[in-house]
Amino acid sequence: MDDVLQNIMDHAVAVAREAGQVVREALCDEKQRDVMTKSSTVDLVTQTDQRVEHLIIQSVKKKFPTHRFIGEESVAAGEACVLTDDPTWIIDPIDGTTNFVHSFPFVAVSIGFSVDKKIQFGVVYSCLEDKMFTARRVSDQEGQRSIIATEFGSNRETETVEKIFSSLRNILNIPGCVLSAAVNMCLVASGCVEAYYEVGVHVWDVAAGSVIVEEAGGVLMDVEGGPVDLMSRRIVAANNGTVAHIVKEIDAFSPTRDDAP
Ligand code: LIP
């Protein structure tokens, strides 16, 4: 299985690079950054998100016809978001669509690959910085503390916004945000940022980053401290167990699960 997995991962890296090139080219063409909204006025999508997801899925289907997919834009278009034991590609074609629309240079192609419901490898290509982050599942370790990254999600209902701000009030040393869950997780993995948490994120935002954090020695948790469930839309990624205790400060809530019928 090892060589097979490496072959699949090599394809993920190659297709992420190809997708990144499309994203970079699209930045020079305003039409390709025309914005449509999804679940709320801050949940954005462009034709480039859709095009890039199509490119990735078609490329994978040619090479691995039996594999399954969970893609952000396919789910938005009505496909089921169901994680089975089958080999599954979990794709966010442009993680950081808001950044993309504003040419703010934190935009990532995020690809996680799962077998038996466990993420086996992750590929996050921060394509404007031309930084490729990858990891394959191996073992667990720990890291250390100072900066915390967070995101605000795309739900602006009063109750949700209250909870987000309640968590922010409880947590000190929050210098800013980067607006891409995938890039935030790679910052944790590379030690630039010591923790990232979010309630309201989606499985395609964090699938690839999850294995990159763990294989770099980081910790993943649910925001209430249990094991992380990638479909639950709640995550803490941290460089060690101490930082992960920021979970104590988070005013947790439970958005509709990604795999809700
Ligand atoms: C976004 C993430 C962001 C998170 C949003 C959203 P998109 O992904 O990158 O970190 O706060 O909820 O999911 O929509 O740009 O792919």
Side-chain angles (χ1 to χ4, degrees), residues 218-241:
V219 181
L220 296 179
M221 282 187 194
D222 176 68
V223 292
E224 289 184 287
V228 75
D229 169 354
L230 294 184
M231 287 288 176
S232 72
R233 305 185 56 200
R234 301 160 29 128
I235 195 161
V236 177
N239 270 8
N240 65 37

Short mmCIF file of all heavy atoms in Angstrom, two decimals, residues 218-241:
data_model
loop_
_atom_site.label_atom_id
_atom_site.label_comp_id
_atom_site.label_asym_id
_atom_site.label_seq_id
_atom_site.Cartn_x
_atom_site.Cartn_y
_atom_site.Cartn_z
N GLY A 218 2.32 18.33 15.74
CA GLY A 218 1.26 19.12 16.38
C GLY A 218 0.11 18.25 16.85
O GLY A 218 0.08 17.05 16.64
N VAL A 219 -0.84 18.92 17.50
CA VAL A 219 -1.97 18.24 18.12
C VAL A 219 -3.26 18.77 17.50
O VAL A 219 -3.41 19.96 17.30
CB VAL A 219 -2.01 18.56 19.63
CG1 VAL A 219 -3.15 17.85 20.32
CG2 VAL A 219 -0.67 18.22 20.28
N LEU A 220 -4.20 17.88 17.25
CA LEU A 220 -5.54 18.29 16.82
C LEU A 220 -6.52 17.94 17.91
O LEU A 220 -6.42 16.88 18.51
CB LEU A 220 -5.97 17.54 15.55
CG LEU A 220 -5.17 17.76 14.29
CD1 LEU A 220 -5.74 16.90 13.17
CD2 LEU A 220 -5.18 19.23 13.88
N MET A 221 -7.46 18.84 18.18
CA MET A 221 -8.49 18.57 19.18
C MET A 221 -9.81 19.15 18.72
O MET A 221 -9.84 20.09 17.91
CB MET A 221 -8.18 19.27 20.49
CG MET A 221 -7.16 18.61 21.34
SD MET A 221 -7.09 19.46 22.92
CE MET A 221 -5.58 18.78 23.52
N ASP A 222 -10.88 18.64 19.32
CA ASP A 222 -12.15 19.32 19.20
C ASP A 222 -12.08 20.58 20.08
O ASP A 222 -11.30 20.61 21.04
CB ASP A 222 -13.27 18.41 19.68
CG ASP A 222 -14.61 19.12 19.67
OD1 ASP A 222 -15.10 19.42 18.58
OD2 ASP A 222 -15.14 19.40 20.76
N VAL A 223 -12.89 21.58 19.82
CA VAL A 223 -12.82 22.81 20.61
C VAL A 223 -13.26 22.61 22.06
O VAL A 223 -13.02 23.45 22.91
CB VAL A 223 -13.63 23.97 19.99
CG1 VAL A 223 -13.00 24.44 18.70
CG2 VAL A 223 -15.08 23.57 19.76
N GLU A 224 -13.90 21.45 22.34
CA GLU A 224 -14.22 21.15 23.75
C GLU A 224 -13.26 20.12 24.32
O GLU A 224 -13.48 19.59 25.40
CB GLU A 224 -15.68 20.70 23.87
CG GLU A 224 -16.63 21.88 23.66
CD GLU A 224 -18.08 21.54 23.87
OE1 GLU A 224 -18.64 20.84 23.01
OE2 GLU A 224 -18.65 21.98 24.89
N GLY A 225 -12.22 19.80 23.57
CA GLY A 225 -11.15 18.99 24.15
C GLY A 225 -11.12 17.53 23.77
O GLY A 225 -10.15 16.86 24.04
N GLY A 226 -12.14 17.00 23.15
CA GLY A 226 -12.10 15.58 22.76
C GLY A 226 -11.34 15.42 21.45
O GLY A 226 -10.75 16.37 20.95
N PRO A 227 -11.38 14.20 20.93
CA PRO A 227 -10.75 14.00 19.62
C PRO A 227 -11.45 14.80 18.54
O PRO A 227 -12.66 15.02 18.62
CB PRO A 227 -10.92 12.49 19.37
CG PRO A 227 -11.81 11.98 20.42
CD PRO A 227 -11.98 13.01 21.49
N VAL A 228 -10.68 15.25 17.58
CA VAL A 228 -11.28 16.06 16.52
C VAL A 228 -12.13 15.17 15.60
O VAL A 228 -11.80 14.01 15.38
CB VAL A 228 -10.17 16.80 15.74
CG1 VAL A 228 -9.41 15.86 14.82
CG2 VAL A 228 -10.73 17.96 14.96
N ASP A 229 -13.22 15.73 15.13
CA ASP A 229 -14.09 15.05 14.17
C ASP A 229 -14.18 16.00 12.98
O ASP A 229 -14.79 17.07 13.08
CB ASP A 229 -15.46 14.81 14.82
CG ASP A 229 -16.51 14.34 13.84
OD1 ASP A 229 -16.24 14.31 12.63
OD2 ASP A 229 -17.63 14.03 14.30
N LEU A 230 -13.55 15.64 11.87
CA LEU A 230 -13.41 16.59 10.76
C LEU A 230 -14.74 17.02 10.15
O LEU A 230 -14.83 18.04 9.49
CB LEU A 230 -12.50 16.01 9.68
CG LEU A 230 -11.03 15.81 10.06
CD1 LEU A 230 -10.23 15.33 8.86
CD2 LEU A 230 -10.40 17.07 10.63
N MET A 231 -15.78 16.22 10.38
CA MET A 231 -17.11 16.58 9.84
C MET A 231 -17.87 17.54 10.78
O MET A 231 -18.92 18.05 10.43
CB MET A 231 -17.96 15.34 9.63
CG MET A 231 -17.52 14.50 8.47
SD MET A 231 -17.92 15.33 6.91
CE MET A 231 -17.19 14.18 5.76
N SER A 232 -17.32 17.75 11.99
CA SER A 232 -18.08 18.50 13.00
C SER A 232 -17.96 20.01 12.82
O SER A 232 -18.69 20.77 13.45
CB SER A 232 -17.58 18.15 14.40
OG SER A 232 -16.30 18.73 14.60
N ARG A 233 -17.02 20.45 11.99
CA ARG A 233 -16.79 21.89 11.73
C ARG A 233 -16.22 22.61 12.93
O ARG A 233 -16.39 23.81 13.09
CB ARG A 233 -18.08 22.55 11.21
CG ARG A 233 -18.64 21.84 9.99
CD ARG A 233 -19.82 22.51 9.39
NE ARG A 233 -19.53 23.88 9.07
CZ ARG A 233 -20.46 24.81 8.89
NH1 ARG A 233 -21.73 24.49 9.02
NH2 ARG A 233 -20.12 26.03 8.60
N ARG A 234 -15.51 21.83 13.81
CA ARG A 234 -14.88 22.43 15.00
C ARG A 234 -13.46 21.89 15.10
O ARG A 234 -13.26 20.68 15.05
CB ARG A 234 -15.66 22.00 16.27
CG ARG A 234 -17.09 22.42 16.24
CD ARG A 234 -18.02 21.65 17.18
NE ARG A 234 -17.51 21.10 18.39
CZ ARG A 234 -18.04 21.31 19.59
NH1 ARG A 234 -19.09 22.11 19.73
NH2 ARG A 234 -17.55 20.73 20.64
N ILE A 235 -12.48 22.78 15.27
CA ILE A 235 -11.10 22.28 15.31
C ILE A 235 -10.17 23.20 16.09
O ILE A 235 -10.33 24.42 16.06
CB ILE A 235 -10.56 22.06 13.87
CG1 ILE A 235 -9.30 21.20 13.89
CG2 ILE A 235 -10.30 23.38 13.16
CD1 ILE A 235 -8.96 20.58 12.56
N VAL A 236 -9.25 22.57 16.82
CA VAL A 236 -8.09 23.28 17.37
C VAL A 236 -6.87 22.54 16.84
O VAL A 236 -6.82 21.31 16.90
CB VAL A 236 -8.05 23.23 18.91
CG1 VAL A 236 -6.79 23.93 19.42
CG2 VAL A 236 -9.29 23.86 19.51
N ALA A 237 -5.92 23.29 16.28
CA ALA A 237 -4.65 22.70 15.87
C ALA A 237 -3.58 23.46 16.62
O ALA A 237 -3.55 24.69 16.58
CB ALA A 237 -4.45 22.88 14.37
N ALA A 238 -2.71 22.74 17.34
CA ALA A 238 -1.76 23.45 18.20
C ALA A 238 -0.42 22.73 18.21
O ALA A 238 -0.34 21.55 17.87
CB ALA A 238 -2.31 23.54 19.62
N ASN A 239 0.61 23.48 18.61
CA ASN A 239 1.94 22.89 18.60
C ASN A 239 2.26 22.04 19.80
O ASN A 239 3.25 21.35 19.81
CB ASN A 239 3.00 23.98 18.44
CG ASN A 239 3.28 24.21 16.98
OD1 ASN A 239 2.58 23.67 16.12
ND2 ASN A 239 4.26 25.03 16.68
N ASN A 240 1.49 22.13 20.88
CA ASN A 240 1.67 21.18 21.97
C ASN A 240 0.43 21.13 22.85
O ASN A 240 -0.49 21.93 22.70
CB ASN A 240 2.92 21.46 22.80
CG ASN A 240 2.82 22.78 23.53
OD1 ASN A 240 1.74 23.15 24.00
ND2 ASN A 240 3.92 23.49 23.64
N GLY A 241 0.47 20.19 23.79
CA GLY A 241 -0.70 19.99 24.64
C GLY A 241 -1.06 21.21 25.46
O GLY A 241 -2.23 21.47 25.71
#
